[in-house]
Amino acid sequence: MTAQQMSSFASHDTGTLYLVPTPIGNLDDMTFRAVKTLKTVDLIAAEDTRNTQKLLNHFEIETKQISFHEHNTQARIPELLARLEQGESIAQVSDAGMPSISDPGKELVKAAIEAGIPVVPLPGANAALTALIASGIEPQPFMFYGFLPRKASEQKAALTALAEEPQAVIFYESPYRVAKTLTTIRDIFGERQAVLARELTKKFEEFIRGSLSELIDYASAGARGEFVIIVAPGEKKAKAPSDVPVATQVQTRIDAGARPNDAIKAVAKENGLKRQQVYNAFHGIQEES
Ligand code: SAM
């Protein structure tokens, strides 16, 4: 038994922090256990109390709420921990889906674990996995990325680091940026198969499957609703050694926005070289013979 497991068993008189998923568009996806938990805890820590109140009204849940969102996380944690330590149980919910998944929650979870408070996750709705299982893209292995950074240079750097990943990559994106983001993905990943999962669990649920270029055409015509983007892994090419010097390959990636270390790592992997060899070539350092 680990020290952490022992600490959570030891703290019988504290409350429990429950992590409760909520529907991502279809109220029928609320689980019996989620309703029961929200009814029986002392307090619900909600990302948006007005939004969660509608859910509580629907399921006739009368538990009190407290707001817990990205702008008051640090201020709220001591108060929530104190209540948990005094024996109150708290359920944390976000506006939709799983807490902590591109939503508030993770800092509270860490703080509760450190304080030896039991943390109990409930399974339930989540947009990424719901999209993945019907995407038709090889589901394992996959990487969940969530929202890319908004700043163009950071977005390009993140995508450059992901480009060599031999697995499906799942992104969240707002409808206002989906066409532009798909275009940047294609610019950096090259043409690939991909899926847009739109309005999951809702009336107009739709899966748009095709090449990145086809999805860009679709999204450019006016994308509405909520979207998950899943990009298939690139084709594994039997690579002939590149004629382009590795130093130039590194510079090209840096020019596209990659951080030097990420660029060196990717070029080393692509060329079957050690990182140090690529580092030396890039910095003009002579290898010792
Ligand atoms: N915590 C949530 C989860 O577990 O999936 C994600 C919350 S995140 C703030 C919201 C993003 O998730 C949206 O911008 C969209 O990319 C994706 N999303 C949420 N609901 C969706 C739905 N019904 N259909 C498609 N994508 C959805």
Side-chain angles (χ1 to χ4, degrees):
M1 196 183 294
T2 66
Q4 243 163 29
Q5 281 170 323
M6 281 171 62
S7 70
S8 65
F9 282 119
S11 46
H12 286 307
D13 45 0
T14 72
T16 297
L17 174 64
Y18 293 95
L19 310 173
V20 179
T22 55
I24 56 168
N26 187 330
L27 285 173
D28 285 352
D29 291 330
M30 190 72 177
T31 68
F32 291 115
R33 189 175 169 209
V35 173
K36 198 166 136 191
T37 303
L38 294 182
K39 279 189 175 168
T40 50
V41 290
D42 299 293
L43 186 67
I44 298 170
E47 180 179 9
D48 178 339
T49 52
R50 278 207 294 186
N51 184 54
T52 298
Q53 193 56 53
K54 293 179 205 151
L55 183 82
L56 301 188
N57 292 346
H58 183 84
F59 290 102
E60 299 175 353
I61 298 166
E62 290 174 0
T63 311
K64 268 200 265 162
Q65 297 191 66
I66 187 169
S67 74
F68 179 75
H69 48 70
E70 58 175 329
H71 304 296
N72 71 0
T73 299
Q74 294 309 333
R76 274 281 192 257
I77 285 177
E79 182 184 345
L80 295 176
L81 283 186
R83 295 178 79 147
L84 286 159
E85 276 161 358
Q86 283 157 20
E88 287 188 35
S89 283
I90 299 179
Q92 192 239 325
V93 300
S94 66
D95 277 354
M98 294 230 164
S100 285
I101 299 299
S102 297
D103 264 343
K106 60 180 188 290
E107 292 89 352
L108 178 60
V109 171
K110 279 188 204 156
I113 292 168
E114 277 166 24
I117 289 159
V119 177
V120 175
L122 272 62
N126 164 253
L129 289 180
T130 305
L132 182 65
I133 58 172
S135 66
I137 286 175
E138 186 63 35
Q140 278 126 216
F142 73 87
M143 170 190 262
F144 172 69
Y145 192 89
F147 290 100
L148 282 160
R150 291 260 193 100
K151 207 170 153 199
S153 59
E154 288 172 16
Q155 187 174 105
K156 280 186 185 156
L159 286 169
T160 305
L162 288 173
E164 303 304 327
E165 289 290 334
Q167 54 194 329
V169 187
I170 307 178
F171 300 101
Y172 285 164
E173 190 48 289
S174 100
Y176 310 107
R177 283 183 291 275
V178 74
K180 191 157 182 286
T181 300
L182 285 169
T183 307
T184 315
I185 294 173
R186 185 190 56 188
D187 289 349
I188 293 175
F189 283 17
E191 190 67 282
R192 294 225 191 142
Q193 289 303 297
V195 173
L196 279 178
R198 175 176 172 269
E199 293 286 85
L200 290 163
T201 75
K202 304 185 201 176
K203 188 170 173 195
F204 296 109
E205 175 178 282
E206 193 180 5
F207 286 82
I208 304 105
R209 302 177 176 92
S211 64
L212 281 167
S213 296
E214 285 164 340
L215 301 193
I216 292 165
D217 287 346
Y218 165 89
S220 305
R224 293 171 69 176
E226 296 198 273
F227 288 93
V228 175
I229 303 171
I230 307 183
V231 185
E235 298 279 308
K236 272 223 173 82
K237 294 175 208 123
K239 277 223 177 97
S242 174
D243 292 337
V244 181
V246 287
T248 312
Q249 294 179 44
V250 172
Q251 191 59 54
T252 307
R253 284 170 182 272
I254 292 171
D255 292 344
R259 284 188 303 218
N261 275 347
D262 292 335
I264 287 169
K265 195 171 147 193
V267 170
K269 194 172 168 199
E270 195 159 285
N271 292 268
L273 296 170
K274 290 198 176 123
R275 241 191 267 184
Q276 190 63 46
Q277 290 174 293
V278 177
Y279 179 92
N280 290 350
F282 182 61
H283 291 286
I285 299 168
Q286 292 284 351
E287 301 238 347
E288 284 172 24
S289 54

